[in-house]
Amino acid sequence: MNFLAHIYLSFDDEEITLGNFFADHIRGNRYKHLPDKIQKGILLHREIDTFTDAHPTARKSSKRLHENYHHYSRVIVDIYYDHFLAKNWSDYSTIPLEEFVENFYILLEDNYDILPMATKRMMPYMIADNWLLNYANLTGIDRVLNGMNRRTKNKSRMNFAILDLEEHYTEFENEFTSFFKELITFSNQKFISLCED
């Protein structure tokens, strides 16, 4: 899953949210110096990724893209799924997306000192362009996919993936809705068990 889903699946716990958000910027077990709850957020992030990668519905979405994007297809699906979460946000939260996102940016700023360097480098762009809020519209998703393509030096061709989203929009949205319901249940169970340890 992509950024918005990981933040959402932290169940309003600030330290879990931080770890769940920046876990991709932590290699191996190089997180032992961080506060306990942030470590648990990193572990939750990894559990979510493992569940997602193995899930037949997420794999079905990815397979639709594989011919054109090969191993980048899973990354693209993560971005698509964040779009559907943002677009249908009111189905999942009583807090408006604008408020949820603003609170998250404040959380990052308040905890800047403990963020990994890669997160610190990304953060100004994320906030200035308001990535999380702009996931809700296709223009925002197009911008993200173009940015990802540039980072792969145009090898991924992810800039064309907006066309696949538009062509198969209903299928991807239905797959997200079905999958995300299961992911919420799974993540909540993992969240509870991690917090009990």
Side-chain angles (χ1 to χ4, degrees):
M1 299 303 291
N2 207 45
F3 296 129
L4 184 61
H6 279 291
I7 298 162
Y8 174 78
L9 295 169
S10 299
F11 306 101
D12 300 320
D13 184 297
E14 290 189 348
E15 289 182 295
I16 295 282
T17 299
L18 287 167
N20 201 349
F21 169 68
F22 65 61
D24 281 337
H25 294 152
I26 301 287
R27 295 276 176 245
N29 65 352
R30 295 180 188 170
Y31 56 82
K32 301 295 186 180
H33 63 289
L34 293 167
D36 181 63
K37 271 277 193 79
I38 292 179
Q39 293 187 37
K40 289 175 176 177
I42 292 167
L43 296 175
L44 177 59
H45 177 109
R46 292 174 178 179
E47 292 276 7
I48 288 167
D49 281 358
T50 300
F51 179 86
T52 301
D53 288 346
H55 197 282
T57 304
R59 290 169 77 96
K60 183 179 179 183
S61 292
S62 178
K63 189 174 181 183
R64 190 176 294 116
L65 299 168
H66 195 267
E67 184 178 348
N68 290 333
Y69 306 102
H70 309 291
H71 65 278
Y72 294 108
S73 57
R74 286 186 178 182
V75 178
I76 296 168
V77 169
D78 286 346
I79 294 166
Y80 287 178
Y81 280 12
D82 254 17
H83 164 64
F84 292 118
L85 174 57
K87 177 197 161 202
N88 300 301
W89 183 258
S90 61
D91 294 342
Y92 300 101
S93 178
T94 56
I95 302 167
L97 182 59
E98 294 88 344
E99 183 182 336
F100 181 88
V101 166
E102 184 60 33
N103 289 340
F104 173 69
Y105 293 152
I106 292 167
L107 177 67
L108 285 186
E109 288 164 350
D110 288 347
N111 292 275
Y112 186 81
D113 289 347
I114 63 167
L115 300 178
M117 189 53 65
T119 308
K120 289 178 178 177
R121 283 195 295 265
M122 177 184 76
M123 189 176 140
Y125 303 102
M126 180 182 215
I127 295 174
D129 292 335
N130 208 345
W131 293 356
L132 299 177
L133 187 62
N134 285 319
Y135 283 151
N137 59 70
L138 290 177
T139 304
I141 293 298
D142 188 34
R143 195 176 299 128
V144 170
L145 291 166
N146 272 281
M148 296 289 284
N149 183 58
R150 283 193 299 275
R151 283 199 281 283
T152 65
K153 297 182 170 61
N154 302 318
K155 290 177 190 167
S156 67
R157 300 177 72 251
M158 287 168 71
N159 53 311
F160 294 107
I162 192 70
L163 302 175
D164 299 84
L165 176 58
E166 290 170 341
E167 183 179 352
H168 302 285
Y169 196 86
T170 302
E171 296 98 314
F172 282 121
E173 184 164 22
N174 289 341
E175 285 157 10
F176 163 78
T177 304
S178 164
F179 164 72
F180 201 63
K181 184 178 178 183
E182 292 183 44
L183 182 60
I184 291 170
T185 301
F186 170 83
S187 302
N188 191 47
Q189 290 169 346
K190 288 295 176 184
F191 172 84
I192 291 166
S193 66
L194 282 166
C195 291
E196 284 174 347
D197 288 346

